[in-house]
Amino acid sequence: MAKRKRRTTAAAAARSIPVSHPPVQPGLVSSRRAVPAGVERPPYATLPGGEPPPPSSSPVRTPDELGAMRRTGALAAEVLIAACEHVRAGMTTDAVDRFVHDTTVAAGAYPSPLGYRGFPKSVCTSVNEVICHGIPDSRRLVPGDIVNIDVTVYREGVHGDTSVTLMIGEPDAHSRRLVAETRASLYQGIGAVAAGAAVSDIGRAIQKHAFQHSLGVVREFIGHGVGTEFHSGLQVPHYYDRRHSAALSEGMTFTIEPMLTLGSPQVAMWDDGWTAVTVDGRRTAQFEHTLVCTAAGAEILTRTAAGECAHDLFTEPVG
């Protein structure tokens, strides 16, 4: 009688992947950086606690707003590329924040995360098992780390939002696979965008790719409408749920930003109220673009005027 082979499940495969070591620990957070008085601020930056009003904008942009979003998205791409060129092993994530802040305000823009619901920094830096919203601090990047740098800028009354996961030095094979397939999952999601398609089609494409590569999909943090508001009412999950049946239409602007994990996609929160980490300590990666739905599919707004983005330029280890 032939012996049947046992199928290796994604859960079993994840258990064979070691946790990230040493675990990321919170460091010292420097003082909030100043923004010149002449730089236009988003409304929440002037409100108590940075709390934005309830979303009220249309998910569809006017032609003038869309023109502004193309220019602002290009600036976000330029800032992210410059930051990636700057990052090296041995530098602190606070130094990354300082560079992003200075580059953004020098371009006459406001770093959107600064002060948003009290967030103390101008960029999010999420290292290794940190899923998202990592606060830049005194921790130094070391060879073997992976770090997501999430840049959003506000100019001409609109936001442009984009992120990339960099590999510092030579990460292990599991981390390299995670980064590559998370990037690929983003573009699978972008490929599902079409006028008349359901929002759930985006999550279906991302989830299918993730599961094919035995990766988890974080459900607690999702893509969102973006434009005149940092986060508008449109929600874009990265997992499939047929109840997300809202139809995409031409002119809608939103982010797709899948967060995939080597192990459990379950989330734990640090006491700072921002830093989200994997419960099992295994690594996670994220990539993000701001998009507009067109008659031809998706137009990526967070590319430079020359069509470049950090996702394409920094696929190999840095620093």
Side-chain angles (χ1 to χ4, degrees):
M1 182 176 179
K3 186 177 181 179
R4 292 191 300 173
K5 293 182 179 179
R6 183 178 178 181
R7 177 180 293 178
T8 301
T9 65
R15 286 194 294 272
S16 70
I17 297 170
V19 299
S20 189
H21 184 79
V24 175
Q25 298 291 332
L28 299 175
V29 178
S30 64
S31 300
R32 177 169 168 166
R33 307 189 196 283
V35 177
V39 173
E40 179 188 6
R41 285 152 167 76
Y44 58 80
T46 63
L47 297 175
E51 189 65 30
S56 60
S57 67
S58 167
V60 176
R61 305 270 67 82
T62 68
D64 286 347
E65 289 171 344
L66 193 52
M69 288 195 69
R70 289 190 175 98
R71 294 185 292 272
T72 301
L75 174 61
E78 291 166 7
V79 172
L80 184 57
I81 289 169
C84 292
E85 292 172 339
H86 184 70
V87 169
R88 291 292 181 269
M91 73 185 303
T92 64
T93 51
D94 185 68
V96 178
D97 178 76
R98 182 186 308 114
F99 181 87
V100 169
H101 180 93
D102 291 348
T103 304
T104 300
V105 299
Y110 185 92
S112 302
L114 186 63
Y116 180 78
R117 291 182 168 161
F119 191 80
K121 290 295 180 179
S122 297
V123 67
C124 297
T125 53
S126 302
V127 181
N128 296 341
E129 70 270 23
V130 179
I131 296 168
C132 61
H133 304 157
I135 298 174
D137 61 21
S138 61
R139 184 194 185 277
R140 295 187 182 276
L141 296 170
V142 300
D145 280 346
I146 60 174
V147 55
N148 177 265
I149 302 175
D150 190 344
V151 167
T152 313
V153 302
Y154 178 80
R155 196 173 67 176
E156 297 187 60
V158 295
H159 300 267
D161 192 357
T162 184
S163 83
V164 67
T165 297
L166 293 181
M167 297 179 286
I168 308 298
E170 292 288 343
D172 61 56
H174 291 303
S175 297
R176 294 174 70 97
R177 176 176 67 87
L178 170 68
V179 171
E181 300 308 339
T182 304
R183 178 185 181 277
S185 78
L186 167 65
Y187 289 94
Q188 291 292 321
I190 291 173
V193 174
V199 168
S200 61
D201 292 338
I202 297 171
R204 187 205 304 266
I206 292 169
Q207 179 175 285
K208 178 181 179 181
H209 185 85
F211 286 4
Q212 285 174 340
H213 295 274
S214 300
L215 300 173
V217 181
V218 173
R219 299 169 72 96
E220 283 82 356
F221 302 100
I222 61 178
H224 54 87
V226 63
T228 55
E229 297 173 311
F230 194 173
H231 297 86
S232 73
L234 179 65
Q235 297 186 334
V236 185
H238 305 121
Y239 56 90
Y240 177 65
D241 185 334
R242 64 182 180 182
R243 291 173 295 180
H244 294 284
S245 58
L248 300 173
S249 60
E250 290 183 46
M252 278 186 174
T253 54
F254 50 90
T255 70
I256 301 178
E257 46 187 297
M259 290 152 256
L260 305 189
T261 63
L262 284 172
S264 170
Q266 297 300 310
V267 175
M269 295 296 298
W270 282 6
D271 290 342
D272 61 25
W274 284 103
T275 307
V277 298
T278 58
V279 293
D280 62 7
R282 291 178 173 86
R283 290 186 171 188
T284 177
Q286 177 188 15
F287 285 79
E288 176 182 17
H289 270 310
T290 296
L291 314 155
V292 59
C293 180
T294 75
E299 176 189 343
I300 297 174
L301 299 177
T302 40
R303 291 187 182 273
T304 68
E308 294 181 326
C309 71
H311 305 165
D312 299 335
L313 297 175
F314 299 94
T315 56
E316 295 300 319
V318 301

